[in-house]
Amino acid sequence: MNKNYIKLVTTGRYVPEKVMTNDDFAAFLDTNDEWITTRTGIKRRHVAADDESAIDLAYKAALNAIDNAKYDVNKIDLIVVATITNPMKSPSIANLVQAKLGLNEHHVMTFDINAACSGFVYALEIASSMIGSGNYKSALVIGAEEMTSILDYKDRGTCILFGDGAGAAILEPTDDPNYQVHFYNGSRGDDTGILWIDPLVKMDGREVYKFATDIMPKAIDQVLKKANLTLEDIDLIIPHQANIRIIQSVAKDMNLPIERFLVNIDEYGNTSSASIPILLDEFKQKNKAPKRALMIGFGGGFTWGAAILMV
Ligand code: COA
């Protein structure tokens, strides 16, 4: 079996019910709906309840993925969670999801990774490689964030951007060559504090914007080259949701209609590592037939993640 053939057998998501609108920010900050909408495309974001953390969001997204396919949870032997908002240094969220799923008596490897908004794509590459090694047969990969727990609500340039949520996918090996996966994940160390969480999000928005609009088309080109494919071969593009203007700029740069990109930033804002798997699940609940997707993320670190896979 070729080690790069990976099938997404199910996806799921969980987004908290509570919503914060742009007008809610205008009540305590010098901002307004018009500024936030035109500069970012964000109208609303979902906010975890007081008794909910990224751990609960991750677990609920995993349960949803399992339920959506009536998946046999006992098959899972690897759990990887991409997150930067675990309320605890240890245990990892992945470790706690194992316990909540009742898998403590099973042989499962669990760990979290920190690659900020590129985290889910990084986690997909890690899980795919581990499945490719032949040692794992069923990987639960989750992106889960309670971004609202690390925001400075006095900083109007950052706090209006982020929301909470989680998305999950289960991966298995297959011998179908159509399911070859390709990655172009990388990083450029940010040792000057352009986008840090220490302990709250601090960001130079313009510099991040420049980085994103520069790296996204380059990473898309690179992953296409690695896969020996062109944009014509791609059915859908799943971009990280940070700012609608960033997505529009990438579309323009690549001569692509904006309709080729999945977008839900108006409803959720930037949910960091959860944004790509939430979009993925929204798409999968409406489109059951397998499609070739290109995922493209960027984020703090700096990091970027590009993937081509069947979804
Ligand atoms: N409401 C009203 N005014 C605001 C504001 C808000 N929420 N936030 C900032 N402003 C003001 C600024 O203070 C500035 O005022 P000034 O001209 O008097 O100094 C003005 O709006 C323009 O600020 P600027 O930072 O240049 O705006 P921008 O067009 O670059 O948009 C971001 C700001 C943050 C929306 C944009 O830079 C961005 O999205 N960057 C990428 C951030 C990102 O994606 N981070 C996560 C990465 S995973």
Side-chain angles (χ1 to χ4, degrees), residues 25 29-32 35-36 39-40 116-118 155-162 195 201 203-210 212 240-246 270 272 298-300 302:
F25 281 94
L29 266 182
D30 182 12
T31 189
N32 55 71
W35 192 97
I36 300 173
R39 298 285 177 126
T40 71
C117 305
S118 312
D155 180 358
R156 64 179 181 168
T158 60
C159 69
I160 48 105
L161 296 173
F162 297 93
L195 177 49
V201 178
M203 177 184 79
D204 179 337
R206 280 185 205 181
E207 284 304 313
V208 177
Y209 191 96
K210 271 195 250 165
H240 171 49
Q241 306 288 294
N243 185 324
I244 191 67
R245 285 159 51 220
I246 292 176
N270 181 344
S272 191
F298 71 93
F302 287 113

mmCIF file of all heavy atoms in Angstrom, residues 25 29-32 35-36 39-40 116-118 155-162 195 201 203-210 212 240-246 270 272 298-300 302, ligand 1:
data_model
loop_
_atom_site.group_PDB
_atom_site.id
_atom_site.type_symbol
_atom_site.label_atom_id
_atom_site.label_comp_id
_atom_site.label_asym_id
_atom_site.label_seq_id
_atom_site.Cartn_x
_atom_site.Cartn_y
_atom_site.Cartn_z
ATOM 1 N N PHE A 25 -19.405 44.884 20.295
ATOM 2 C CA PHE A 25 -18.098 45.501 20.565
ATOM 3 C C PHE A 25 -18.226 47.017 20.660
ATOM 4 O O PHE A 25 -17.572 47.657 21.492
ATOM 5 C CB PHE A 25 -17.085 45.147 19.459
ATOM 6 C CG PHE A 25 -16.503 43.785 19.609
ATOM 7 C CD1 PHE A 25 -17.057 42.705 18.943
ATOM 8 C CD2 PHE A 25 -15.407 43.568 20.422
ATOM 9 C CE1 PHE A 25 -16.530 41.430 19.085
ATOM 10 C CE2 PHE A 25 -14.864 42.317 20.577
ATOM 11 C CZ PHE A 25 -15.433 41.232 19.898
ATOM 12 N N LEU A 29 -16.122 49.580 23.027
ATOM 13 C CA LEU A 29 -14.870 49.932 22.352
ATOM 14 C C LEU A 29 -15.148 51.025 21.328
ATOM 15 O O LEU A 29 -16.263 51.099 20.800
ATOM 16 C CB LEU A 29 -14.357 48.723 21.572
ATOM 17 C CG LEU A 29 -13.368 47.766 22.178
ATOM 18 C CD1 LEU A 29 -13.015 46.710 21.121
ATOM 19 C CD2 LEU A 29 -12.099 48.461 22.654
ATOM 20 N N ASP A 30 -14.103 51.790 20.977
ATOM 21 C CA ASP A 30 -14.257 52.802 19.929
ATOM 22 C C ASP A 30 -14.175 52.093 18.570
ATOM 23 O O ASP A 30 -13.121 52.061 17.923
ATOM 24 C CB ASP A 30 -13.141 53.853 20.082
ATOM 25 C CG ASP A 30 -13.276 54.949 19.046
ATOM 26 O OD1 ASP A 30 -14.338 55.014 18.380
ATOM 27 O OD2 ASP A 30 -12.319 55.735 18.900
ATOM 28 N N THR A 31 -15.284 51.469 18.170
ATOM 29 C CA THR A 31 -15.348 50.761 16.886
ATOM 30 C C THR A 31 -16.788 50.748 16.418
ATOM 31 O O THR A 31 -17.677 51.233 17.119
ATOM 32 C CB THR A 31 -14.789 49.326 17.027
ATOM 33 O OG1 THR A 31 -14.666 48.758 15.734
ATOM 34 C CG2 THR A 31 -15.679 48.437 17.879
ATOM 35 N N ASN A 32 -17.019 50.212 15.243
ATOM 36 C CA ASN A 32 -18.405 50.139 14.758
ATOM 37 C C ASN A 32 -18.527 49.031 13.707
ATOM 38 O O ASN A 32 -17.527 48.559 13.159
ATOM 39 C CB ASN A 32 -18.844 51.490 14.181
ATOM 40 C CG ASN A 32 -17.878 51.950 13.105
ATOM 41 O OD1 ASN A 32 -17.825 51.392 12.015
ATOM 42 N ND2 ASN A 32 -17.060 52.954 13.451
ATOM 43 N N TRP A 35 -16.855 49.639 10.199
ATOM 44 C CA TRP A 35 -15.391 49.467 10.137
ATOM 45 C C TRP A 35 -15.034 47.987 10.117
ATOM 46 O O TRP A 35 -14.264 47.524 9.272
ATOM 47 C CB TRP A 35 -14.703 50.160 11.321
ATOM 48 C CG TRP A 35 -13.196 50.259 11.155
ATOM 49 C CD1 TRP A 35 -12.499 51.330 10.695
ATOM 50 C CD2 TRP A 35 -12.222 49.235 11.423
ATOM 51 N NE1 TRP A 35 -11.148 51.049 10.650
ATOM 52 C CE2 TRP A 35 -10.950 49.768 11.091
ATOM 53 C CE3 TRP A 35 -12.283 47.932 11.888
ATOM 54 C CZ2 TRP A 35 -9.766 49.045 11.226
ATOM 55 C CZ3 TRP A 35 -11.096 47.203 12.021
ATOM 56 C CH2 TRP A 35 -9.855 47.764 11.695
ATOM 57 N N ILE A 36 -15.614 47.241 11.034
ATOM 58 C CA ILE A 36 -15.239 45.819 11.141
ATOM 59 C C ILE A 36 -15.653 45.067 9.867
ATOM 60 O O ILE A 36 -14.878 44.271 9.315
ATOM 61 C CB ILE A 36 -15.875 45.165 12.398
ATOM 62 C CG1 ILE A 36 -15.405 45.879 13.677
ATOM 63 C CG2 ILE A 36 -15.529 43.679 12.461
ATOM 64 C CD1 ILE A 36 -16.095 45.429 14.953
ATOM 65 N N ARG A 39 -13.381 46.228 6.807
ATOM 66 C CA ARG A 39 -11.947 45.889 6.928
ATOM 67 C C ARG A 39 -11.682 44.400 7.051
ATOM 68 O O ARG A 39 -10.565 43.949 6.835
ATOM 69 C CB ARG A 39 -11.338 46.563 8.155
ATOM 70 C CG ARG A 39 -11.362 48.059 8.156
ATOM 71 C CD ARG A 39 -10.329 48.633 7.211
ATOM 72 N NE ARG A 39 -10.437 50.077 7.179
ATOM 73 C CZ ARG A 39 -9.439 50.918 7.401
ATOM 74 N NH1 ARG A 39 -8.240 50.450 7.648
ATOM 75 N NH2 ARG A 39 -9.631 52.215 7.351
ATOM 76 N N THR A 40 -12.714 43.632 7.485
ATOM 77 C CA THR A 40 -12.436 42.211 7.768
ATOM 78 C C THR A 40 -13.439 41.228 7.162
ATOM 79 O O THR A 40 -13.116 40.051 6.998
ATOM 80 C CB THR A 40 -12.452 41.938 9.298
ATOM 81 O OG1 THR A 40 -13.800 42.029 9.775
ATOM 82 C CG2 THR A 40 -11.580 42.923 10.050
ATOM 83 N N ALA A 116 -0.384 27.490 15.575
ATOM 84 C CA ALA A 116 -1.360 28.574 15.451
ATOM 85 C C ALA A 116 -2.378 28.246 14.351
ATOM 86 O O ALA A 116 -2.858 27.115 14.283
ATOM 87 C CB ALA A 116 -0.644 29.900 15.237
ATOM 88 N N CYS A 117 -2.657 29.205 13.493
ATOM 89 C CA CYS A 117 -3.761 29.024 12.537
ATOM 90 C C CYS A 117 -3.447 27.986 11.455
ATOM 91 O O CYS A 117 -4.342 27.544 10.748
ATOM 92 C CB CYS A 117 -4.132 30.356 11.902
ATOM 93 S SG CYS A 117 -4.506 31.606 13.132
ATOM 94 N N SER A 118 -2.175 27.609 11.290
ATOM 95 C CA SER A 118 -1.824 26.557 10.332
ATOM 96 C C SER A 118 -1.930 25.175 10.979
ATOM 97 O O SER A 118 -1.626 24.155 10.336
ATOM 98 C CB SER A 118 -0.384 26.744 9.831
ATOM 99 O OG SER A 118 -0.150 28.065 9.448
ATOM 100 N N ASP A 155 -7.889 46.097 23.129
ATOM 101 C CA ASP A 155 -7.174 46.283 21.861
ATOM 102 C C ASP A 155 -8.147 46.074 20.697
ATOM 103 O O ASP A 155 -8.398 44.949 20.255
ATOM 104 C CB ASP A 155 -6.015 45.274 21.797
ATOM 105 C CG ASP A 155 -5.227 45.398 20.505
ATOM 106 O OD1 ASP A 155 -5.593 46.233 19.658
ATOM 107 O OD2 ASP A 155 -4.252 44.638 20.352
ATOM 108 N N ARG A 156 -8.672 47.187 20.179
ATOM 109 C CA ARG A 156 -9.716 47.087 19.148
ATOM 110 C C ARG A 156 -9.185 46.522 17.825
ATOM 111 O O ARG A 156 -9.962 46.063 16.987
ATOM 112 C CB ARG A 156 -10.348 48.460 18.902
ATOM 113 C CG ARG A 156 -9.388 49.488 18.335
ATOM 114 C CD ARG A 156 -10.086 50.815 18.084
ATOM 115 N NE ARG A 156 -9.144 51.775 17.509
ATOM 116 C CZ ARG A 156 -9.493 52.923 16.977
ATOM 117 N NH1 ARG A 156 -10.770 53.276 16.969
ATOM 118 N NH2 ARG A 156 -8.592 53.736 16.468
ATOM 119 N N GLY A 157 -7.870 46.551 17.641
ATOM 120 C CA GLY A 157 -7.288 46.034 16.395
ATOM 121 C C GLY A 157 -7.201 44.509 16.367
ATOM 122 O O GLY A 157 -7.000 43.920 15.301
ATOM 123 N N THR A 158 -7.334 43.855 17.529
ATOM 124 C CA THR A 158 -7.239 42.382 17.527
ATOM 125 C C THR A 158 -8.501 41.690 18.048
ATOM 126 O O THR A 158 -8.914 40.670 17.495
ATOM 127 C CB THR A 158 -6.056 41.866 18.382
ATOM 128 O OG1 THR A 158 -6.237 42.293 19.725
ATOM 129 C CG2 THR A 158 -4.722 42.345 17.864
ATOM 130 N N CYS A 159 -9.119 42.246 19.116
ATOM 131 C CA CYS A 159 -10.177 41.452 19.769
ATOM 132 C C CYS A 159 -11.405 41.248 18.894
ATOM 133 O O CYS A 159 -12.157 40.294 19.103
ATOM 134 C CB CYS A 159 -10.555 42.042 21.122
ATOM 135 S SG CYS A 159 -11.402 43.622 21.020
ATOM 136 N N ILE A 160 -11.593 42.135 17.904
ATOM 137 C CA ILE A 160 -12.781 41.999 17.041
ATOM 138 C C ILE A 160 -12.621 40.881 16.003
ATOM 139 O O ILE A 160 -13.566 40.519 15.315
ATOM 140 C CB ILE A 160 -13.070 43.339 16.314
ATOM 141 C CG1 ILE A 160 -11.782 43.904 15.677
ATOM 142 C CG2 ILE A 160 -13.597 44.376 17.291
ATOM 143 C CD1 ILE A 160 -11.699 43.769 14.236
ATOM 144 N N LEU A 161 -11.397 40.328 15.895
ATOM 145 C CA LEU A 161 -11.116 39.405 14.788
ATOM 146 C C LEU A 161 -11.479 37.944 15.082
ATOM 147 O O LEU A 161 -11.724 37.177 14.161
ATOM 148 C CB LEU A 161 -9.621 39.434 14.433
ATOM 149 C CG LEU A 161 -9.057 40.748 13.893
ATOM 150 C CD1 LEU A 161 -7.539 40.642 13.762
ATOM 151 C CD2 LEU A 161 -9.677 41.081 12.544
ATOM 152 N N PHE A 162 -11.462 37.553 16.363
ATOM 153 C CA PHE A 162 -11.410 36.120 16.670
ATOM 154 C C PHE A 162 -12.706 35.566 17.270
ATOM 155 O O PHE A 162 -13.473 36.294 17.907
ATOM 156 C CB PHE A 162 -10.255 35.845 17.634
ATOM 157 C CG PHE A 162 -8.908 36.166 17.043
ATOM 158 C CD1 PHE A 162 -8.318 37.406 17.230
ATOM 159 C CD2 PHE A 162 -8.234 35.233 16.265
ATOM 160 C CE1 PHE A 162 -7.079 37.718 16.676
ATOM 161 C CE2 PHE A 162 -6.988 35.523 15.700
ATOM 162 C CZ PHE A 162 -6.411 36.770 15.911
ATOM 163 N N LEU A 195 3.341 38.677 15.748
ATOM 164 C CA LEU A 195 2.085 38.016 16.125
ATOM 165 C C LEU A 195 2.399 37.020 17.232
ATOM 166 O O LEU A 195 2.781 35.887 16.975
ATOM 167 C CB LEU A 195 1.472 37.319 14.885
ATOM 168 C CG LEU A 195 0.196 36.505 15.086
ATOM 169 C CD1 LEU A 195 -0.849 37.271 15.864
ATOM 170 C CD2 LEU A 195 -0.357 36.048 13.756
ATOM 171 N N VAL A 201 -3.219 37.840 22.863
ATOM 172 C CA VAL A 201 -2.834 38.069 21.468
ATOM 173 C C VAL A 201 -2.341 39.501 21.300
ATOM 174 O O VAL A 201 -3.021 40.460 21.684
ATOM 175 C CB VAL A 201 -4.032 37.838 20.520
ATOM 176 C CG1 VAL A 201 -3.621 38.126 19.072
ATOM 177 C CG2 VAL A 201 -4.589 36.432 20.654
ATOM 178 N N MET A 203 -0.474 41.872 18.184
ATOM 179 C CA MET A 203 -0.267 41.703 16.744
ATOM 180 C C MET A 203 -0.038 43.040 16.057
ATOM 181 O O MET A 203 -0.675 44.035 16.376
ATOM 182 C CB MET A 203 -1.558 41.064 16.207
ATOM 183 C CG MET A 203 -1.623 40.863 14.747
ATOM 184 S SD MET A 203 -3.248 40.210 14.290
ATOM 185 C CE MET A 203 -4.226 41.698 14.342
ATOM 186 N N ASP A 204 0.873 43.025 15.086
ATOM 187 C CA ASP A 204 0.998 44.139 14.159
ATOM 188 C C ASP A 204 0.204 43.744 12.915
ATOM 189 O O ASP A 204 0.703 43.018 12.045
ATOM 190 C CB ASP A 204 2.477 44.372 13.821
ATOM 191 C CG ASP A 204 2.677 45.506 12.826
ATOM 192 O OD1 ASP A 204 1.723 45.820 12.079
ATOM 193 O OD2 ASP A 204 3.784 46.068 12.794
ATOM 194 N N GLY A 205 -1.050 44.200 12.861
ATOM 195 C CA GLY A 205 -1.998 43.739 11.836
ATOM 196 C C GLY A 205 -1.493 43.924 10.420
ATOM 197 O O GLY A 205 -1.633 43.028 9.580
ATOM 198 N N ARG A 206 -0.882 45.086 10.150
ATOM 199 C CA ARG A 206 -0.429 45.342 8.769
ATOM 200 C C ARG A 206 0.664 44.377 8.343
ATOM 201 O O ARG A 206 0.702 43.923 7.212
ATOM 202 C CB ARG A 206 0.097 46.771 8.648
ATOM 203 C CG ARG A 206 -1.022 47.756 8.517
ATOM 204 C CD ARG A 206 -0.497 49.141 8.290
ATOM 205 N NE ARG A 206 -1.510 50.074 8.747
ATOM 206 C CZ ARG A 206 -1.376 51.385 8.666
ATOM 207 N NH1 ARG A 206 -0.285 51.917 8.183
ATOM 208 N NH2 ARG A 206 -2.348 52.161 9.083
ATOM 209 N N GLU A 207 1.591 44.082 9.275
ATOM 210 C CA GLU A 207 2.679 43.141 8.947
ATOM 211 C C GLU A 207 2.129 41.737 8.720
ATOM 212 O O GLU A 207 2.584 41.016 7.829
ATOM 213 C CB GLU A 207 3.721 43.113 10.075
ATOM 214 C CG GLU A 207 4.627 44.330 10.096
ATOM 215 C CD GLU A 207 5.360 44.547 8.768
ATOM 216 O OE1 GLU A 207 5.921 43.579 8.230
ATOM 217 O OE2 GLU A 207 5.347 45.688 8.269
ATOM 218 N N VAL A 208 1.148 41.352 9.550
ATOM 219 C CA VAL A 208 0.552 40.017 9.377
ATOM 220 C C VAL A 208 -0.154 39.950 8.024
ATOM 221 O O VAL A 208 -0.053 38.952 7.293
ATOM 222 C CB VAL A 208 -0.443 39.696 10.518
ATOM 223 C CG1 VAL A 208 -1.107 38.344 10.292
ATOM 224 C CG2 VAL A 208 0.265 39.707 11.868
ATOM 225 N N TYR A 209 -0.841 41.013 7.697
ATOM 226 C CA TYR A 209 -1.560 41.083 6.419
ATOM 227 C C TYR A 209 -0.583 40.896 5.252
ATOM 228 O O TYR A 209 -0.834 40.135 4.320
ATOM 229 C CB TYR A 209 -2.261 42.439 6.325
ATOM 230 C CG TYR A 209 -3.255 42.559 5.199
ATOM 231 C CD1 TYR A 209 -4.614 42.331 5.411
ATOM 232 C CD2 TYR A 209 -2.835 42.895 3.916
ATOM 233 C CE1 TYR A 209 -5.528 42.433 4.381
ATOM 234 C CE2 TYR A 209 -3.740 43.003 2.877
ATOM 235 C CZ TYR A 209 -5.092 42.778 3.121
ATOM 236 O OH TYR A 209 -5.985 42.880 2.085
ATOM 237 N N LYS A 210 0.551 41.595 5.346
ATOM 238 C CA LYS A 210 1.563 41.499 4.272
ATOM 239 C C LYS A 210 2.090 40.066 4.161
ATOM 240 O O LYS A 210 2.247 39.534 3.070
ATOM 241 C CB LYS A 210 2.753 42.441 4.579
ATOM 242 C CG LYS A 210 2.575 43.836 4.024
ATOM 243 C CD LYS A 210 3.903 44.574 4.039
ATOM 244 C CE LYS A 210 3.879 45.666 5.082
ATOM 245 N NZ LYS A 210 5.156 46.226 5.455
ATOM 246 N N ALA A 212 0.618 37.303 5.062
ATOM 247 C CA ALA A 212 -0.418 36.378 4.582
ATOM 248 C C ALA A 212 -0.597 36.479 3.072
ATOM 249 O O ALA A 212 -0.634 35.461 2.372
ATOM 250 C CB ALA A 212 -1.740 36.679 5.287
ATOM 251 N N HIS A 240 -7.791 29.436 5.269
ATOM 252 C CA HIS A 240 -7.956 29.916 6.643
ATOM 253 C C HIS A 240 -8.731 31.231 6.609
ATOM 254 O O HIS A 240 -8.522 32.077 5.745
ATOM 255 C CB HIS A 240 -6.574 30.122 7.278
ATOM 256 C CG HIS A 240 -6.626 30.810 8.600
ATOM 257 N ND1 HIS A 240 -7.496 30.407 9.594
ATOM 258 C CD2 HIS A 240 -5.950 31.889 9.092
ATOM 259 C CE1 HIS A 240 -7.338 31.200 10.635
ATOM 260 N NE2 HIS A 240 -6.422 32.109 10.356
ATOM 261 N N GLN A 241 -9.628 31.386 7.580
ATOM 262 C CA GLN A 241 -10.500 32.565 7.613
ATOM 263 C C GLN A 241 -9.919 33.595 8.584
ATOM 264 O O GLN A 241 -10.154 33.511 9.800
ATOM 265 C CB GLN A 241 -11.902 32.163 8.067
ATOM 266 C CG GLN A 241 -12.516 31.034 7.252
ATOM 267 C CD GLN A 241 -12.926 31.465 5.854
ATOM 268 O OE1 GLN A 241 -13.831 32.267 5.700
ATOM 269 N NE2 GLN A 241 -12.258 30.937 4.841
ATOM 270 N N ALA A 242 -9.148 34.536 8.068
ATOM 271 C CA ALA A 242 -8.580 35.577 8.931
ATOM 272 C C ALA A 242 -9.154 36.936 8.579
ATOM 273 O O ALA A 242 -9.419 37.754 9.469
ATOM 274 C CB ALA A 242 -7.060 35.609 8.802
ATOM 275 N N ASN A 243 -9.324 37.175 7.272
ATOM 276 C CA ASN A 243 -9.813 38.467 6.812
ATOM 277 C C ASN A 243 -10.276 38.263 5.372
ATOM 278 O O ASN A 243 -9.520 37.727 4.566
ATOM 279 C CB ASN A 243 -8.672 39.498 6.882
ATOM 280 C CG ASN A 243 -9.146 40.896 6.542
ATOM 281 O OD1 ASN A 243 -10.001 41.083 5.677
ATOM 282 N ND2 ASN A 243 -8.581 41.880 7.223
ATOM 283 N N ILE A 244 -11.501 38.680 5.040
ATOM 284 C CA ILE A 244 -12.014 38.461 3.677
ATOM 285 C C ILE A 244 -11.122 39.158 2.654
ATOM 286 O O ILE A 244 -10.950 38.681 1.528
ATOM 287 C CB ILE A 244 -13.494 38.917 3.548
ATOM 288 C CG1 ILE A 244 -14.112 38.435 2.222
ATOM 289 C CG2 ILE A 244 -13.633 40.429 3.653
ATOM 290 C CD1 ILE A 244 -14.277 36.971 2.081
ATOM 291 N N ARG A 245 -10.494 40.274 3.068
ATOM 292 C CA ARG A 245 -9.639 40.998 2.109
ATOM 293 C C ARG A 245 -8.390 40.190 1.768
ATOM 294 O O ARG A 245 -7.864 40.288 0.663
ATOM 295 C CB ARG A 245 -9.253 42.374 2.678
ATOM 296 C CG ARG A 245 -10.409 43.371 2.616
ATOM 297 C CD ARG A 245 -10.230 44.522 3.592
ATOM 298 N NE ARG A 245 -8.936 45.160 3.484
ATOM 299 C CZ ARG A 245 -8.209 45.583 4.528
ATOM 300 N NH1 ARG A 245 -8.645 45.432 5.760
ATOM 301 N NH2 ARG A 245 -7.053 46.156 4.341
ATOM 302 N N ILE A 246 -7.917 39.384 2.725
ATOM 303 C CA ILE A 246 -6.756 38.521 2.445
ATOM 304 C C ILE A 246 -7.161 37.474 1.396
ATOM 305 O O ILE A 246 -6.443 37.241 0.419
ATOM 306 C CB ILE A 246 -6.235 37.852 3.744
ATOM 307 C CG1 ILE A 246 -5.635 38.916 4.678
ATOM 308 C CG2 ILE A 246 -5.226 36.746 3.429
ATOM 309 C CD1 ILE A 246 -5.169 38.397 6.029
ATOM 310 N N ASN A 270 -12.195 34.692 12.966
ATOM 311 C CA ASN A 270 -11.009 33.841 12.859
ATOM 312 C C ASN A 270 -10.984 32.874 14.053
ATOM 313 O O ASN A 270 -10.800 33.301 15.191
ATOM 314 C CB ASN A 270 -9.767 34.751 12.851
ATOM 315 C CG ASN A 270 -8.467 33.983 12.717
ATOM 316 O OD1 ASN A 270 -8.424 32.775 12.923
ATOM 317 N ND2 ASN A 270 -7.403 34.699 12.391
ATOM 318 N N SER A 272 -8.762 30.458 14.313
ATOM 319 C CA SER A 272 -7.412 29.889 14.310
ATOM 320 C C SER A 272 -7.412 28.463 13.735
ATOM 321 O O SER A 272 -7.951 28.260 12.657
ATOM 322 C CB SER A 272 -6.801 29.967 15.705
ATOM 323 O OG SER A 272 -5.423 29.656 15.655
ATOM 324 N N PHE A 298 -2.334 30.115 7.181
ATOM 325 C CA PHE A 298 -1.140 30.829 7.621
ATOM 326 C C PHE A 298 -1.432 31.283 9.036
ATOM 327 O O PHE A 298 -2.583 31.376 9.447
ATOM 328 C CB PHE A 298 -0.854 32.052 6.735
ATOM 329 C CG PHE A 298 -1.864 33.144 6.960
ATOM 330 C CD1 PHE A 298 -1.627 34.161 7.883
ATOM 331 C CD2 PHE A 298 -3.079 33.117 6.310
ATOM 332 C CE1 PHE A 298 -2.594 35.122 8.141
ATOM 333 C CE2 PHE A 298 -4.044 34.078 6.563
ATOM 334 C CZ PHE A 298 -3.802 35.091 7.471
ATOM 335 N N GLY A 299 -0.365 31.592 9.788
ATOM 336 C CA GLY A 299 -0.639 32.055 11.137
ATOM 337 C C GLY A 299 0.612 32.374 11.918
ATOM 338 O O GLY A 299 1.722 32.412 11.373
ATOM 339 N N GLY A 300 0.368 32.591 13.206
ATOM 340 C CA GLY A 300 1.445 32.961 14.118
ATOM 341 C C GLY A 300 2.541 31.912 14.084
ATOM 342 O O GLY A 300 2.327 30.756 13.769
ATOM 343 N N PHE A 302 5.986 32.690 12.491
ATOM 344 C CA PHE A 302 4.965 32.469 11.484
ATOM 345 C C PHE A 302 4.964 31.039 10.961
ATOM 346 O O PHE A 302 6.021 30.406 10.899
ATOM 347 C CB PHE A 302 5.189 33.385 10.279
ATOM 348 C CG PHE A 302 4.854 34.811 10.511
ATOM 349 C CD1 PHE A 302 5.848 35.780 10.514
ATOM 350 C CD2 PHE A 302 3.538 35.206 10.725
ATOM 351 C CE1 PHE A 302 5.529 37.096 10.713
ATOM 352 C CE2 PHE A 302 3.220 36.527 10.905
ATOM 353 C CZ PHE A 302 4.228 37.479 10.907
HETATM 354 N N1 COA B 1 -12.463 49.896 14.825
HETATM 355 C C1 COA B 1 -12.214 51.127 14.346
HETATM 356 N N2 COA B 1 -10.975 51.540 14.014
HETATM 357 C C2 COA B 1 -9.963 50.673 14.177
HETATM 358 C C3 COA B 1 -10.160 49.372 14.679
HETATM 359 C C4 COA B 1 -11.475 49.000 15.020
HETATM 360 N N3 COA B 1 -11.796 47.773 15.491
HETATM 361 N N4 COA B 1 -8.968 48.750 14.725
HETATM 362 C C5 COA B 1 -8.042 49.606 14.273
HETATM 363 N N5 COA B 1 -8.657 50.783 13.939
HETATM 364 C C6 COA B 1 -8.040 51.977 13.396
HETATM 365 C C7 COA B 1 -6.568 52.063 13.645
HETATM 366 O O1 COA B 1 -6.301 52.562 14.943
HETATM 367 C C8 COA B 1 -6.118 53.012 12.567
HETATM 368 O O2 COA B 1 -6.415 54.327 12.969
HETATM 369 P P1 COA B 1 -5.416 55.520 12.595
HETATM 370 O O3 COA B 1 -5.389 55.566 11.092
HETATM 371 O O4 COA B 1 -6.065 56.686 13.236
HETATM 372 O O5 COA B 1 -4.102 55.131 13.184
HETATM 373 C C9 COA B 1 -7.054 52.668 11.393
HETATM 374 O O6 COA B 1 -8.171 51.964 11.969
HETATM 375 C C10 COA B 1 -6.402 51.801 10.348
HETATM 376 O O7 COA B 1 -5.719 50.756 11.035
HETATM 377 P P2 COA B 1 -4.935 49.639 10.264
HETATM 378 O O8 COA B 1 -4.319 48.715 11.264
HETATM 379 O O9 COA B 1 -4.046 50.257 9.234
HETATM 380 O O10 COA B 1 -6.131 48.920 9.493
HETATM 381 P P3 COA B 1 -6.068 47.769 8.467
HETATM 382 O O11 COA B 1 -6.779 48.142 7.240
HETATM 383 O O12 COA B 1 -4.664 47.216 8.320
HETATM 384 O O13 COA B 1 -6.945 46.637 9.172
HETATM 385 C C11 COA B 1 -6.646 44.617 10.387
HETATM 386 C C12 COA B 1 -6.528 46.118 10.408
HETATM 387 C C13 COA B 1 -6.199 44.056 11.714
HETATM 388 C C14 COA B 1 -8.113 44.266 10.155
HETATM 389 C C15 COA B 1 -5.786 44.038 9.214
HETATM 390 O O14 COA B 1 -4.494 44.604 9.276
HETATM 391 C C16 COA B 1 -5.661 42.564 9.252
HETATM 392 O O15 COA B 1 -6.638 41.842 9.127
HETATM 393 N N6 COA B 1 -4.422 42.043 9.387
HETATM 394 C C17 COA B 1 -4.205 40.617 9.470
HETATM 395 C C18 COA B 1 -4.496 40.167 10.867
HETATM 396 C C19 COA B 1 -4.661 38.673 10.979
HETATM 397 O O16 COA B 1 -5.141 38.044 10.073
HETATM 398 N N7 COA B 1 -4.281 38.113 12.129
HETATM 399 C C20 COA B 1 -4.440 36.728 12.414
HETATM 400 C C21 COA B 1 -3.507 35.917 11.616
HETATM 401 S S1 COA B 1 -3.861 34.220 11.712
#
